[in-house]
Amino acid sequence: MTQTALAGAAAETAATVSAEAPATPDRPVRPRPAAKPHGQWKVDGKAPLNPVEVWKQEDDGLSVRHRIETIYSKQGFDSIADDDLHGRFRWWGLYTQRKQGIDGGKTAQLEPHELEDSYLMMRVRTDGGKLTTEQLRVVGQISIDFARNTADLTNRQNIQFHWIEVENVPEIWRRLEAVGLQTTEACGDVPRGMLGSPVAGIAKAEIIDPTDFLQELRDRFIGSPQFSNLPRKYKTSITGYPDHDTIHEINDISFVGVEHPELGPGYDLWVGGGLSTAPRLAQRVGVFVPPEEGPAVWEGVTSIFRDYGYRRMRNKARLKFLVEDWGAEKFRQVLEDEYLGHKLRDGVAPPKAKVNGDHVGVHEQKDGNFFIGAAPCVGRFSGTGMMALADLLEAHGSHRLRTTPLQKIIALDIPKDHVEAVITGLDAIGLSARPSVFRRNTMACTGVEFCKLAIVNTKDTAINIVSELEERLADLVDAGELDEPLTLYLNGCPNSCARIQTADIGLKGIIVPTADGGTTGGFQVHLGGGLSSHNREEAGLGRTVRGLKVAIPDLPAYVERVIRSYVSNKLAEETFAEFAHRVDEELLK
């Protein structure tokens, strides 16, 4: 890393080297201090350089399952050791949830143990979003029996329970694993739930079917000690669909289906994406990955992260920081020379998407049946809703469905003459296959309701905004002024689980001052972000409007105002993102 780069990252790395003072007889030149090690195993050795790395080496995160089954589930929450509760539990998809009734303004004032409840959040991984109706029933019944009917859809194709008691965890695992589901490595410093095209093997336009690729990764590497101690979390996406349906620019590693002019269908490799408080878009490595080499390339990239990733400081431990320092050319060289043992052919970039890749609506499958993409409101669902969905699909001859990276559900294998009946049934359980532009494109994280890091309520706020905008902007919708997607993402804290930097309108939860000298919950506004899509050539991050902080009660009016400003002042064919980056800030307030 250059001195310039180090200076710019001083707050995060604490590694800036001060310039030498001029030598004088009274003050000789002092040598520059040696740069601190990053904790890279292949460079600095495996001696742990922070407390998290200590307990990770003392006892692998996967080992805690035995203690949950034999000790903690029998002796209760108070028996759980701290390193297990706040560390290794994550390797099995478990976090403590926020204690009810604690205002978001206290999030930064209280210690973690003061914020947490004796209940757990549990994340069920569904790699590629694949579910059968049998599995859906099991998940739904777990929600009803153990999770107070919570079953939210995440934007990583997972299902998330709340109100889980440690005493019930072994029984939940038994039920999940009996139908091929698991919580293994759904959280933690591991390969987390893998995004896969939700229409893999289904869509007529598919370039290549990644189903077997994704399944091999899951079978070989999830729950394996080979990658159960990575520097930080590690996110994968794989798609063979041409219209960019797995947010490849913001994952640690992504494989994007392409057609090579000489070698046929395969994958373009991207590395180093991620958001949070230091967002980075992934870089193309520039190689073509033949289908048969996909697992080996994934293993090689993941091994680079394990061996060369920065472990000393947790806020620099994501792959994106290593990729930023190395660059794509060096990353490719290390991958080929040290991990694959051979060169890969130069790749081709994915083409621009032709249609919206969220899969909402009715679409014909390869086999002549149809799939129907439906939107809950901001991912909120329930166990009873899942049971009703399983009943609906089976009544119309379907036994398969998928979740998506945009908090949607896709019903598969619907005969043509059953489509309208299924759409009607979906509406009855809160899933819309023909949603408003606002319901279709609004996303929210868990928020202060359950998350210990959150500052504001996101789910209820987002649901209210959707309802308000459907009324406030009905005239623009009726006039055809809002035909294109306009994304609205709400996040309860700066960590960007809801990808606020990649939304047309991204809202980051903060505390804002009130006129009477007090404070209240609100949002910092980011405008004009987005990932590559049918109406955007390349991904780009949103623009922060200086001083624009909106209290929660004022949000619907603000969003209405900025959308009307766009409609009134846009150039011909200009998207909202283009408008937001072009105009003066006064038109965005």
Side-chain angles (χ1 to χ4, degrees):
M1 184 185 285
T2 65
Q3 283 290 354
T4 301
L6 282 169
E12 288 187 308
T13 67
T16 305
V17 180
S18 301
E20 295 178 4
T24 68
D26 298 325
R27 186 173 61 191
V29 174
R30 289 181 294 178
R32 294 173 182 266
K36 292 183 179 179
H38 285 300
Q40 297 168 281
W41 280 0
K42 271 204 169 185
V43 177
D44 306 309
K46 292 190 176 182
L49 300 180
N50 65 52
V52 173
E53 289 297 314
V54 170
W55 63 252
K56 284 164 63 179
Q57 288 198 27
E58 287 177 347
D59 190 15
D60 190 282
L62 293 171
S63 68
V64 78
R65 175 163 179 158
H66 179 70
R67 291 190 288 280
I68 292 173
E69 291 176 325
T70 61
I71 301 173
Y72 303 143
S73 64
K74 299 181 184 304
Q75 298 182 13
F77 184 87
D78 291 339
S79 70
I80 305 172
D82 186 72
D83 283 351
D84 284 345
L85 181 63
H86 300 111
R88 298 182 189 91
F89 265 43
R90 300 176 187 181
W91 272 242
W92 290 95
L94 297 164
Y95 283 91
T96 53
Q97 71 181 39
R98 187 186 187 94
K99 189 177 294 182
Q100 298 296 291
I102 298 180
D103 182 78
K106 296 182 179 178
T107 297
Q109 300 172 12
L110 300 178
E111 295 297 321
H113 70 274
E114 296 177 291
L115 288 166
E116 71 186 7
D117 212 335
S118 58
Y119 295 97
L120 303 169
M121 178 275 286
M122 174 181 275
R123 188 174 295 155
V124 181
R125 66 183 297 157
T126 53
D127 298 282
K130 296 177 63 176
L131 285 167
T132 65
T133 52
E134 178 191 18
Q135 290 171 328
L136 187 66
R137 288 186 190 283
V138 169
V139 171
Q141 196 61 54
I142 289 171
S143 169
I144 293 167
D145 291 347
F146 304 115
R148 301 190 187 181
N149 210 24
T150 60
D152 287 343
L153 305 175
T154 78
N155 59 15
R156 293 203 63 82
Q157 297 180 280
N158 298 315
I159 297 166
Q160 203 156 275
F161 299 131
H162 298 282
W163 300 109
I164 299 298
E165 295 175 295
V166 70
E167 291 87 345
N168 296 322
V169 168
E171 172 61 15
I172 294 172
W173 281 338
R174 186 193 67 77
R175 294 190 191 184
L176 290 173
E177 291 166 5
V179 292
L181 295 174
Q182 60 183 332
T183 70
T184 315
E185 297 184 339
C187 314
D189 298 352
V190 292
R192 297 197 179 183
M194 299 179 185
L195 296 184
S197 172
V199 292
I202 301 296
K204 294 176 71 175
E206 188 172 56
I207 296 170
I208 185 171
D209 181 358
T211 299
D212 292 342
F213 180 6
L214 191 62
Q215 188 63 45
E216 182 172 347
L217 296 184
R218 178 186 169 107
D219 292 345
R220 288 178 55 192
F221 300 114
I222 302 309
S224 165
Q226 183 176 353
F227 297 126
S228 62
N229 182 0
L230 299 176
R232 281 289 302 277
K233 57 188 173 184
Y234 184 68
K235 297 181 177 181
T236 299
S237 88
I238 307 174
T239 184
Y241 184 72
D243 294 310
H244 307 325
D245 59 353
T246 59
I247 57 171
H248 61 276
E249 300 102 331
I250 55 173
N251 281 268
D252 294 282
I253 179 171
S254 293
F255 295 83
V256 184
V258 292
E259 184 78 34
H260 193 283
E262 300 173 10
L263 304 174
Y267 299 98
D268 190 46
L269 177 64
W270 297 61
V271 297
L275 295 177
S276 192
T277 56
R280 302 289 189 277
L281 295 174
Q283 298 185 35
R284 286 190 63 233
V285 179
V287 297
F288 177 77
V289 180
E292 66 274 11
E293 287 202 62
V297 171
W298 185 92
E299 182 179 8
V301 172
T302 310
S303 298
I304 289 175
F305 182 42
R306 179 195 62 203
D307 298 340
Y308 285 104
Y310 302 153
R311 292 176 182 262
R312 181 172 67 89
M313 298 186 70
R314 295 284 291 173
N315 62 356
K316 292 283 287 185
R318 292 292 300 276
L319 181 62
K320 62 187 177 183
F321 295 107
L322 179 68
V323 171
E324 183 177 43
D325 289 348
W326 277 10
E329 184 176 350
K330 178 177 178 179
F331 196 96
R332 175 177 179 172
Q333 179 186 350
V334 172
L335 173 65
E336 293 174 334
D337 294 350
E338 296 188 29
Y339 292 89
L340 296 179
H342 65 274
K343 299 295 183 183
L344 293 167
R345 295 281 295 272
D346 289 344
V348 295
K352 181 182 176 181
K354 295 180 180 179
V355 300
N356 189 337
D358 68 0
H359 304 300
V360 170
V362 180
H363 309 267
E364 189 174 4
Q365 299 178 178
K366 292 178 180 179
D367 63 3
N369 286 320
F370 288 78
F371 67 86
I372 303 172
C377 206
V378 297
R380 175 143 289 176
F381 208 34
S382 65
T384 52
M386 290 183 170
M387 301 292 275
L389 177 59
D391 288 342
L392 173 67
L393 296 185
E394 290 177 358
H396 293 277
S398 170
H399 296 272
R400 296 192 299 166
L401 65 150
R402 305 270 169 89
T403 59
T404 86
L406 294 170
Q407 296 180 328
K408 307 296 188 289
I409 285 179
I410 301 176
L412 305 182
D413 308 327
I414 307 299
K416 184 176 181 179
D417 57 353
H418 289 242
V419 166
E420 289 302 322
V422 171
I423 290 174
T424 300
L426 291 170
D427 280 331
I429 55 176
L431 299 170
S432 177
R434 294 173 179 138
S436 70
V437 65
F438 309 110
R439 176 165 174 167
R440 178 172 182 168
N441 299 303
T442 299
M443 190 162 63
C445 72
T446 299
V448 77
E449 183 180 8
F450 296 118
C451 178
K452 293 176 294 182
L453 301 178
I455 301 167
V456 296
N457 184 306
T458 53
K459 293 285 191 185
D460 292 334
T461 301
I463 290 170
N464 179 62
I465 290 176
V466 168
S467 178
E468 288 256 5
L469 293 179
E470 286 173 343
E471 292 187 15
R472 289 170 176 262
L473 296 174
D475 60 317
L476 297 185
V477 173
D478 292 342
E481 297 284 1
L482 294 177
D483 287 342
E484 284 296 317
L486 200 156
T487 52
L488 175 65
Y489 297 166
L490 290 80
N491 211 80
C493 76
N495 287 324
S496 201
C497 295
R499 311 177 196 142
I500 55 170
Q501 300 99 327
T502 65
D504 287 306
I505 303 173
L507 302 170
K508 177 177 70 178
I510 57 172
I511 298 298
V512 301
T514 57
D516 61 2
T519 59
T520 189
F523 291 88
Q524 170 71 57
V525 178
H526 301 257
L527 297 172
L531 301 177
S532 58
S533 66
H534 67 295
N535 63 357
R536 184 174 185 130
E537 195 73 37
E538 294 181 348
L541 302 177
R543 166 188 184 181
T544 303
V545 181
R546 288 175 296 177
L548 184 52
K549 300 174 182 179
V550 184
I552 289 175
D554 301 328
L555 267 178
Y558 167 72
V559 176
E560 177 189 6
R561 188 163 65 248
V562 76
I563 291 175
R564 288 192 183 278
S565 178
Y566 160 62
V567 171
S568 299
N569 297 285
K570 67 179 179 177
L571 303 177
E573 305 301 321
E574 188 173 42
T575 66
F576 182 90
E578 291 167 339
F579 165 79
H581 283 284
R582 174 180 63 83
V583 302
D584 293 336
E585 290 185 349
E586 290 306 311
L587 289 177
L588 302 174
K589 292 184 176 179

